[in-house]
Amino acid sequence: MIEWQPNSWKSLVASQQVPWPDPRAVDLVIEEIKNLPPLVTSGEVATLKVQLAEAARGERFLLHGGDCAESFADCRSASITNQLKILLQMSLVLTHASHKRVIRIGRIAGQYAKPRSAEAEVRDGVALPSFRGDNVNRPEFSESARTPNPQLLLRGYERSALTLNFIRALLDGGFTDLHHPEHWNLDWVAHSPLAEEYKRVVDSIGAGIRFMESLEDRHLDQTQCLDFFTSHECLLLDLESAQTRVVPRRSGWWNLSTHFPWLGARTGKIDGAHVEYLRGIENPIGIKVASDRSPNELVALCERLNPGREAGRISLIHRLGAHQIAALLPAYIDAITRAKIPVLWICDPMHGNTESVIVKSLSGEAISRKTRKFSHILAELEQAFEIHKSKGTVLGGVHFELTGKDVTECVGGARGLAEADLDRAYQSSLDPRLNYEQALEMALLVARRV
Ligand code: PEP
Ligand code: CO
């Protein structure tokens, strides 16, 4: 094996990298980012690794959620607040039901690059480069918008910093919305057959918080420090290695652009550049497990990325689909258990349940929309809990694509969103997300299982 360096991946094949028109312009931007201060600290990253090891043992539960693709336009006060609010509310619901401390990781402050299955997108006979996330190009279908522009990497780094700065300030200042579940937006509950149960849960969360506050005579968030971590897909390797640093009082190299980088399903070749890069950093890492990787290949990958079998280092995020999980997951669990590799098992019930439907747009034309059914998402999760239980392993976390906004991208849920509703507020430029109500309802349903 070659000797690891932050850029040793360059001698290997890197899939999903950007065909930048002017490579020298990219080098200049990368040099600039190398000299900017980091977004997170090695101490935070190390803390998360310890907590993930605890989740793997069933002592904590991980809630990992956010946009499929974050957009620059959403780097604004209301969007960030909504995103943080839904994740914190979901985590309170989960903590309440499970009596476990919940680790919160947002797919935020850097989720600006996406893998794409096709290099080009064709519309009416015109082919243009695919949209690869706001770090690379823009979603509008025009030559200028789709031409990769390295200046966007800098804009993305700055927006990540702005986002994190605001999140840290909100958490420091106490997030008052959290203390009064009676002010949460719960109108949808009336539509659920579980309305009574939900009301009881939310009331008792409120009562619990007020009780704690009266005991301590201060706000809950000061008595129980609200940790929040960030993650994004480790995709653009020039960018990731530019933010990979050594720090004064710790050994090793740390990716200080995020706490938790994850390896996507399209870039996970064991001999590929992404695995080479991730092998050498100290961060805890997530691995997406899709059906195209065999159980033995998964074991080999875990051994490559975690030869010392360090607890907390690897999280396996399976995304197999509601129709396939029962057939496929047991063999992965058996292989990892046999190899005695400590991992945190996480279920991503989103990516195996994506489908396209033809809907009528607001202007009347028929267009194709990607969507996911709430019932399929829930079905995959429920099976995941059962399968792990029957195997004696722990499902220690969930990974959702969601937003705190009132979008219409996934169908189903208590409000009964239908395909005909999709175009009312379909905002995602990539994968469909659970909206505020669907996300909170999902948390209430998952909470019964944790
Ligand atoms: C994602 O999480 O948005 C993603 C692209 O996932 P996967 O690699 O599992 O398809
Ligand atoms: Co996605």
Side-chain angles (χ1 to χ4, degrees):
M1 220 181 301
I2 52 180
E3 189 194 340
W4 189 88
Q5 291 287 326
N7 59 8
S8 54
W9 59 269
K10 289 201 178 198
S11 62
L12 299 168
V13 178
S15 51
Q16 296 287 344
Q17 302 307 286
V18 181
W20 301 104
D22 177 1
R24 265 177 329 175
V26 182
D27 293 344
L28 290 176
V29 164
I30 292 297
E31 265 322 296
E32 195 169 342
I33 292 177
K34 272 187 187 157
N35 290 307
L36 291 172
L39 301 175
V40 304
T41 67
S42 60
E44 294 165 352
V45 174
T47 298
L48 176 62
K49 206 197 266 183
V50 171
Q51 295 191 3
L52 293 172
E54 291 168 354
R57 296 193 297 267
E59 296 158 15
R60 289 181 186 259
F61 191 75
L62 169 68
L63 172 64
H64 183 194
D67 287 297
C68 179
E70 231 181 327
S71 78
F72 288 0
D74 272 342
C75 183
R76 36 171 86 204
S77 158
S79 305
I80 297 167
T81 312
N82 284 340
Q83 202 73 332
L84 191 59
K85 189 158 98 180
I86 182 63
L87 286 169
L88 294 176
Q89 290 181 353
M90 290 171 82
S91 73
L92 274 187
V93 167
L94 290 166
T95 303
H96 171 81
S98 65
H99 300 288
K100 280 183 190 169
R101 284 166 299 172
V102 172
I103 308 167
R104 308 170 197 88
I105 304 183
R107 291 171 58 125
I108 200 169
Q111 177 59 20
Y112 290 126
K114 296 304 296 178
R116 300 313 307 263
S117 33
E119 288 286 319
E121 181 181 343
V122 182
R123 284 193 206 172
D124 299 329
V126 180
L128 289 175
S130 293
F131 172 57
R132 290 175 176 273
D134 279 3
N135 256 352
V136 177
N137 53 6
R138 285 179 287 120
E140 297 83 51
F141 196 74
S142 72
E143 172 123 28
S144 63
R146 290 293 176 90
T147 303
N149 172 5
Q151 287 301 315
L152 296 175
L153 294 170
L154 266 175
R155 301 290 86 79
Y157 195 72
E158 290 156 1
R159 277 176 172 76
S160 300
L162 292 169
T163 303
L164 255 174
N165 177 58
F166 189 45
I167 290 175
R168 292 186 193 280
L170 286 171
L171 293 176
D172 261 6
F175 215 168
T176 41
D177 282 41
L178 220 55
H179 301 260
H180 296 282
E182 67 275 18
H183 298 164
W184 295 6
N185 185 354
L186 292 166
D187 298 345
W188 59 276
V189 163
H191 302 267
S192 168
L194 300 171
E196 280 311 309
E197 181 182 338
Y198 290 169
K199 285 213 189 73
R200 263 200 313 280
V201 171
V202 172
D203 284 350
S204 103
I205 291 173
I209 292 175
R210 283 187 294 276
F211 177 66
M212 293 263 305
E213 288 182 350
S214 66
L215 279 185
E216 302 277 338
D217 197 25
R218 51 188 167 157
H219 275 309
L220 179 67
D221 47 19
Q222 290 159 321
T223 60
Q224 185 198 26
C225 173
L226 279 179
D227 280 339
F228 187 86
F229 301 97
T230 64
S231 77
H232 63 246
E233 178 168 356
C234 173
L235 192 71
L236 303 181
L237 292 173
D238 276 318
L239 181 64
E240 300 298 331
S241 50
Q243 300 162 13
T244 302
R245 317 272 168 99
V246 287
V247 296
R249 274 169 293 280
R250 287 175 202 276
S251 59
W253 290 84
W254 302 76
N255 182 329
L256 298 182
S257 70
T258 188
H259 302 105
F260 184 65
W262 84 80
L263 178 67
R266 293 167 190 73
T267 47
K269 288 235 163 35
I270 190 163
D271 293 322
H274 292 81
V275 172
E276 170 61 18
Y277 166 75
L278 287 168
R279 164 173 92 82
I281 60 171
E282 298 294 326
N283 303 56
I285 55 192
I287 301 176
K288 286 289 191 99
V289 181
S291 54
D292 58 357
R293 193 198 300 283
S294 75
N296 286 341
E297 285 167 346
L298 183 62
V299 168
L301 181 61
C302 290
E303 284 176 337
R304 174 72 57 90
L305 291 171
N306 189 18
R309 287 175 161 58
E310 182 193 5
R313 161 75 168 164
I314 303 271
S315 295
L316 295 180
I317 310 167
H318 47 79
R319 27 91 82 228
L320 299 167
H323 304 297
Q324 291 203 87
I325 183 171
L328 299 177
L329 182 58
Y332 291 110
I333 298 178
D334 289 343
I336 293 291
T337 306
R338 228 179 296 122
K340 297 195 167 58
I341 298 172
V343 299
L344 167 60
W345 291 101
I346 301 172
C347 180
D348 162 3
M350 311 301 289
H351 288 88
N353 295 309
T354 315
E355 53 193 288
S356 288
V357 293
I358 304 293
V359 296
K360 217 186 238 148
S361 74
L362 293 182
S363 55
E365 54 189 325
I367 50 167
S368 166
R369 284 291 190 203
K370 269 203 220 174
T371 190
R372 290 160 173 157
K373 295 198 171 74
F374 189 93
S375 58
H376 291 172
I377 297 168
L378 184 61
E380 178 162 359
L381 267 175
E382 294 198 316
Q383 293 175 77
F385 277 106
E386 283 308 312
I387 295 166
H388 280 290
K389 196 167 150 206
S390 73
K391 290 277 170 197
T393 43
V394 180
L395 184 68
V398 286
H399 174 115
F400 290 120
E401 287 185 342
L402 54 80
T403 169
K405 294 191 287 187
D406 184 20
V407 301
T408 53
E409 298 170 6
C410 291
V411 297
R415 189 81 81 168
L417 223 59
E419 285 175 10
D421 298 317
L422 287 180
D423 250 48
R424 189 155 46 78
Y426 197 104
Q427 292 175 16
S428 174
S429 51
L430 287 163
D431 288 348
R433 302 160 295 178
L434 296 171
N435 64 24
Y436 173 83
E437 296 180 346
Q438 291 169 329
L440 200 53
E441 184 180 5
M442 190 60 76
L444 282 156
L445 289 165
V446 170
R448 309 155 103 199
R449 296 278 183 161
V450 177

